[in-house]
Amino acid sequence: MSMLAIKHGAINLGQGFPNFDGPDFVKEAAIQAINAGKNQYARGFGVPELNSAIAERFLKDSGLQVDPDKEVTVTSGCTEAIAATILGLINPGDEVILFAPFYDSYEATLSMAGANVKAITLRAPDFAVPLEELKAAVSKNTKAIMINTPHNPTGKMFTREELEFIATLCKENDVLLFSDEVYDKLAFEADHISMASIPGMYERTVTMNSLGKTFSLTGWKIGWAIAPPHLTWGLRQAHSFLTFATCTPMQAAAAAALRAPDSYYEELKRDYSAKKAILLEGLTSAGFIVYPSSGTYFIMVDHTPFGFDNDIEFCEYLIREVGVVAIPPSVFYLNPEEGKNLVRFTFCKDEDTLRAAVERMKTKLKKK
């Protein structure tokens, strides 16, 4: 979709990376680290100052105290944290339950690990977890359940009731929980709850996060995994042979970023709330059926008012004839039919870009 966007001069509201830069104080910290000679291999599981900053931030956010040396592993982005967790802890034939739609890296890495993947579908309009369906899906072969909250691509935030239900299933059936929380600071309509903070869950949970979304520095690829020592041991074995170590000067800068005052996060949320409002109003005015998004920087819509058979056809039309890029979410399902009526837009763009895209859709899209 991004390549088609370039070809047709379309405005890219598809791929989830900002078209604006991260904060100066973080970039300056990276420059200082480079100039100070912090340019050789880092300690494999992270430079001490970053591991400590991650542990401090996790304590502040979740109330959980973790050992920065034994329970925090720095990775090359959250995608590597996901890969190291799956390859380090999942064996061929293990069953892992995902919630569809899901970030496509999950299924790909589970395939590499030889896992059997089950998907529980979250359905519009609210994308609630079908609790009884999930309970029925857990079997004696289930090794792990993987969640993503706030959730890409729907913008859903898992509720406390849903998290506690999943936690009970994990404890009753001795199942691990892998939690991707990269959008935790982009929670608009509810407070983010980390699964590890649910009573009895820390010992069986790997919490994964990254710098990129929160600080608009997606190209730095700084991520991490937090887990008790017995799970950290497994994921570190895989990490050692995936990347071994992550970019040294960027880790020093990431430590500075994570120690930003609360005012940074408050301003981030205000800024994204304004962007979200522009896109939300525009998509509604253009004629889409718009589904609620409580977190992330994505909005999911139903494109069927415009008369196309599926999401790929619609997204190709949107690029060629309207000049706007969106993502066809059918690729985020085990069964693509389940996503054929949906389209994902992102609002991690500057306000002028969002307004220009909205204007194109209002002007050129016609209902059928």
Side-chain angles (χ1 to χ4, degrees), residues 23-56:
D24 288 341
F25 79 93
V26 185
K27 292 184 291 181
E28 189 56 43
I31 294 165
Q32 287 175 10
I34 291 167
N35 289 337
K38 296 179 179 180
N39 299 307
Q40 308 308 323
Y41 289 132
R43 185 177 67 169
F45 58 87
V47 301
E49 61 186 304
L50 177 54
N51 289 59
S52 294
I54 291 166
E56 290 165 18

Side-chain angles (χ1 to χ4, degrees), residues 77-363:
C78 189
T79 299
E80 197 224 329
I82 292 162
T85 297
I86 290 171
L87 295 172
L89 298 172
I90 298 298
N91 292 316
D94 284 346
E95 183 180 275
V96 178
I97 296 174
L98 304 178
F99 293 97
F102 45 75
Y103 175 44
D104 49 6
S105 169
Y106 301 165
E107 185 192 2
T109 313
L110 287 166
S111 298
M112 292 180 207
N116 297 323
V117 179
K118 277 186 182 176
I120 302 297
T121 301
L122 307 177
R123 302 185 188 279
D126 59 356
F127 301 102
V129 176
L131 301 179
E132 293 308 313
E133 186 183 338
L134 173 62
K135 186 176 183 179
V138 175
S139 73
K140 66 182 189 322
N141 299 318
T142 305
K143 179 70 176 286
I145 296 172
M146 187 148 193
I147 68 169
N148 172 209
T149 182
H151 182 256
N152 171 21
T154 67
K156 169 198 170 49
M157 292 184 64
F158 281 62
T159 65
R160 182 170 291 279
E161 179 195 10
E162 289 170 337
L163 293 174
E164 288 177 346
F165 187 91
I166 295 167
T168 299
L169 287 178
C170 289
K171 289 181 280 190
E172 288 177 349
N173 296 280
D174 193 21
V175 169
L176 299 176
L177 193 288
F178 304 154
S179 187
D180 174 353
E181 301 181 10
V182 294
Y183 298 100
D184 64 334
K185 293 293 180 287
L186 297 174
F188 300 106
E189 279 147 44
D191 289 334
H192 170 73
I193 303 167
S194 186
M195 178 57 106
S197 70
I198 302 290
M201 282 305 291
Y202 181 73
E203 286 302 307
R204 60 179 68 250
T205 299
V206 180
T207 305
M208 296 163 284
N209 210 323
S210 77
L211 190 80
K213 308 299 188 294
T214 306
F215 290 91
S216 305
L217 295 165
T218 57
W220 284 20
K221 297 298 288 179
I222 302 290
W224 55 86
I226 300 171
H230 66 285
L231 299 180
T232 291
W233 186 90
L235 73 89
R236 282 187 182 176
Q237 304 313 302
H239 167 66
S240 293
F241 297 104
L242 285 169
T243 61
F244 165 61
T246 297
C247 180
T248 305
M250 298 316 187
Q251 289 193 60
L258 290 178
R259 292 186 169 118
D262 288 345
S263 58
Y264 173 81
Y265 299 100
E266 291 159 8
E267 180 60 33
L268 179 80
K269 201 176 287 191
R270 274 198 302 272
D271 187 41
Y272 269 115
S273 294
K275 296 178 192 299
K276 178 184 174 184
I278 293 168
L279 185 59
L280 196 61
E281 186 281 326
L283 293 171
T284 305
S285 297
F288 291 99
I289 300 165
V290 182
Y291 295 123
S293 171
S294 301
T296 76
Y297 43 48
F298 301 115
I299 296 176
M300 197 84 108
V301 302
D302 185 321
H303 66 79
T304 54
F306 302 105
F308 289 83
D309 288 340
N310 61 60
D311 56 331
I312 294 173
E313 278 185 26
F314 176 78
C315 285
E316 288 175 346
Y317 168 85
L318 193 68
I319 291 171
R320 285 194 316 270
E321 304 300 329
V322 181
V324 175
V325 184
I327 292 291
S330 57
V331 297
F332 302 142
Y333 292 83
L334 288 184
N335 175 10
E337 282 290 302
E338 292 181 328
K340 71 176 186 177
N341 293 339
L342 302 172
V343 173
R344 189 195 78 180
F345 289 91
T346 184
F347 51 90
C348 60
K349 311 296 175 184
D350 64 72
E351 292 186 12
D352 287 345
T353 299
L354 292 169
R355 288 192 182 93
V358 162
E359 190 56 37
R360 288 185 184 188
M361 289 188 284
K362 286 180 178 179
T363 306

